Every structure is written in structure tokens, then in C-alpha cells.
Amino acid sequence: METFERARLDAYFAKIAAQFAPTDQATSFLVTHLLAERPGFVRAVAAMSRLRAVLPKPKSITPTAQREVERAIPVDTLSRELFADPDAALDYFESRAAGEPVVLLDVGGYFAPALAELHSRFSGRILGVIEDTENGHRRYKDLDKLPCPVISVARSPQALSQGFTVARDREDALRGAGLVLCATGAISLHGEDFGHLRNGAYVATVTSSEDELELSNLPDVYTRTTVGDHVTRYQTTGHYFYLANGGNAVNFLHGASVGPFIFLVQAEILAGIRLLTRTDLAPGMHEASADDRAAIAATWLSYFNR
């Protein structure tokens, strides 16, 4: 990032952190895409909480950003397996934050499988979770019973789109599309859907293959051929399509670039820290308030919409 961009971003997050400073600080763990612009957000999380560790998403790490963060905060290895086993998850949190009140900042529902056990067995207290993605939103919502509050910023209304046609029929949409970009986190294409793709269509995701595509259920008649850097052709008699990056997120293929709109969502995450440290939210799914969103939008406009 350019020096002036970094300075503006740091000033923005410092302003947000001051606006939503909690009365009492909790301990936090942060799952994040550790991209070039992310250290400013990490510093804001550390200003609002006792940040014990950053857990970067494995396929979206910028080495320079990791080195910058590591100078002040431990960076631990993130995996689904770590938090799929409640005992392993408990050992991890006890080693980092025994006896402390903890806020979990998540991207993709990593903490969901162990959340109930952590809430009941951890020597400290799990105050709640803040989830950033639709994929993670669904993982928490699908739990039988949430033991603590989960604040979701995955469906924030501040990111607006307009002028697009909405297809009413899935099969017709697939037949007419030259590019199918999957971004639901909840299996966009099942095995039987691939046969409806028009010849030569490209399929790509911005999450991960296991969350978006049932590639394992594709008929065995498809042959797979590498036809270019990060492009695979799937072909059978009378039908073929292309898959980008093996079904994994294409936006992280050459170093992801994010626009300033993401800073609205990250500000909601920071506001969520204050909400959880108040300890008066009931277990269940929650969103940022309209007042908090309005305050965030006003601050964002003053920094990024001049």
C-alpha cells in the first residue's frame, strides 16, 4: 500500500476504535484474510481488546502483512481440524487465554463445531462470536442451540449492488451464463447442476471448493485436462466447461485486492466487540444496530468518499 493510503486507513480505524471503545476490554482471537491492507484492522482489534492471536486463512496470506503483524501479535496456524475437535480447541484456548473473557472474531465458521463445548468447559468465559461471511453465518445458524451471542456482519446492507438481472430459474440461468461465479458458502453447484452449464462456460468461486462445488459428485464420464495456468477443462461427449483454480477462491490467486467498502464491514466487527463485552446480549444470532451502522457510514464517508 502507498504511504498515504496506509495513513488514511490507520486514521479511519483509530476513529472507529475510539467511537466504539468498550468500557471493559475482553480477550480476542481473530480469524482473518491477512492481506496487504489488513494490519491496520488488526491494530484496531488490538486497541479494543487483548488480542491473543491472529489466525490467518491459509490461502489468503500476504507475507509482508504477516511479518508486520507478527512483530506485535502471535500468528497461529489455522485449520478446520483444530476447531473440529473440542478437546484440541479447548487446549488451544486454555494455552492462550485461561480464565479470561473471550470474544471470537471469525471468518467462515471455524469456531462453530467446538463452540458449545468451549462455552461449557473453558476456564474463562466465551462472550460470543462475530462472524464475517455468509458461509460462517450458516454454520452458526445451523447449530442446534447457540450457547452465546453470535453477531453476524455477513448480511450488512451497506454493500449495495444495482442494475443486475435476477434469474428466476436455476437451470435456465446456468444454460445462459458464460461465467458462473459462486459466492454463497452453501454449495452453489451440485453434481447434477454441472450438466446444465452451457458449453465453454467458466466456473469460479470466491470461497472454497468444498463450500461451493460438489465436484466429487460429478459423473465419472468427465475427463479433466489442464489447459492453462489455474484452468482445468472438464469434458465429456457433447459437453465441456472450465474450472478456475481448482474451485478455490480466484480472488486470492494473485494476491487479493479489496476495495474500501470492506472497511465498512470491518468497522461493524469492531462495533461488535463492544456489543459482546457489554454481556447483555442473549444467546442467538444478532446484527449491528441501525444507529451503529449509521455512525460507521458517516465516518467511512468522511475518509473514503471525498
Side-chain angles (χ1 to χ4, degrees), residues 40 48 60 72 91 93 99 113 118 172 189 207 222 227 257 259 276 285 298 303:
M48 296 183 66
S60 53
D91 287 344
F93 285 113
L118 287 172
D172 285 345
L189 298 181
T207 55
Y222 280 92
V227 295
S257 176
L276 291 179
M285 302 295 293
Y303 281 90

Side-chain angles (χ1 to χ4, degrees), residues 160-167:
L160 304 178
S161 62
Q162 57 186 347
F164 295 96
T165 301
V166 178

Side-chain angles (χ1 to χ4, degrees), residues 244-297:
N245 198 29
N248 291 307
V250 293
N251 50 321
F252 297 124
L253 191 55
H254 297 297
S257 176
V258 295
F261 288 103
I262 194 66
F263 306 142
L264 286 163
V265 178
Q266 290 171 344
E268 279 195 27
I269 294 171
L270 297 174
I273 294 174
R274 183 177 70 174
L275 280 175
L276 291 179
T277 56
R278 289 190 337 208
T279 71
D280 59 353
L281 287 182
M285 302 295 293
H286 299 268
E287 294 183 349
S289 70
D291 287 345
D292 284 352
R293 283 172 171 163
I296 289 167

Side-chain angles (χ1 to χ4, degrees), residues 167-178 180 188-190 192-199 201 239:
R168 300 301 181 186
D169 183 271
R170 181 187 185 87
E171 291 183 11
D172 285 345
L174 293 178
R175 289 190 185 103
V180 179
S188 297
L189 298 181
H190 297 270
E192 63 271 18
D193 293 324
F194 289 92
H196 298 299
L197 293 167
R198 86 180 198 189
N199 273 340
H239 188 237

